Amino acid sequence: MYDVVLLIEQELTEPDAKRVVDLHQDMPETVKYHVLVPCHNAEAGVEASLSALGTADLYGAGLVDQREDLAEAQKAIDSEAKDCTGRSVQRLRDLGQRAEGGISHDRPIDALTATVKKVGGQEVIILTRSHIVAEFFHLDWTNSARRHLGVPVLHLLEHDEHKARKQAPTN
């Protein structure tokens, strides 16, 4: 079994799933994909934003009153991330591949590292939108993964169907 861990920012499109599968079409052994979707922590995000604004003293205590709303927001975020993961896994399975997936509230690179260790990942594919500034300063997921993992790491840019339709020649 050749285990590939996919760290994705958003749901795999059909063209992206096909591109990923095509990378391994000549593998002599069975490939299994492990899809990982990082999930935003609503409460931590609000607290970090308030701290960054220097207003935690003013509004920090007010967060106690908002815990229920934040919990509801987190449920919605988790539900969407799980749905995204499920649809992405299904796209890989529709192409005849073995696939499983999950979400994580950990930092993406920490979750990726843990997943690679857990499943014995032999390759990592990171599929994101273009992040020019982070990539320029080598702060993006791909560069971080290459520093932390001892397996090949490939970065693919997500296929943008809307952009592709606009650029397609019309007859």
Side-chain angles (χ1 to χ4, degrees), residues 9-28:
E9 222 174 3
Q10 59 191 25
E11 184 177 324
L12 277 178
T13 62
E14 287 181 33
D16 285 335
K18 177 130 177 50
R19 247 187 343 159
V20 167
V21 169
D22 285 348
L23 291 170
H24 304 100
Q25 67 183 356
D26 295 328
M27 289 293 295

Side-chain angles (χ1 to χ4, degrees), residues 46 61 112 169:
V46 170
L112 177 63

Side-chain angles (χ1 to χ4, degrees), residues 13 15 18 22 30 42 51 56 59-60 64 70 84-85 100 106 109 112 130 134 137 146 150-151 171:
T13 62
K18 177 130 177 50
D22 285 348
T30 303
S51 294
Y59 299 107
V64 173
L70 289 172
C84 165
T85 303
E100 62 181 26
D106 296 335
I109 296 305
L112 177 63
S130 181
F137 290 107
R146 287 181 179 140
V151 299
N171 294 336

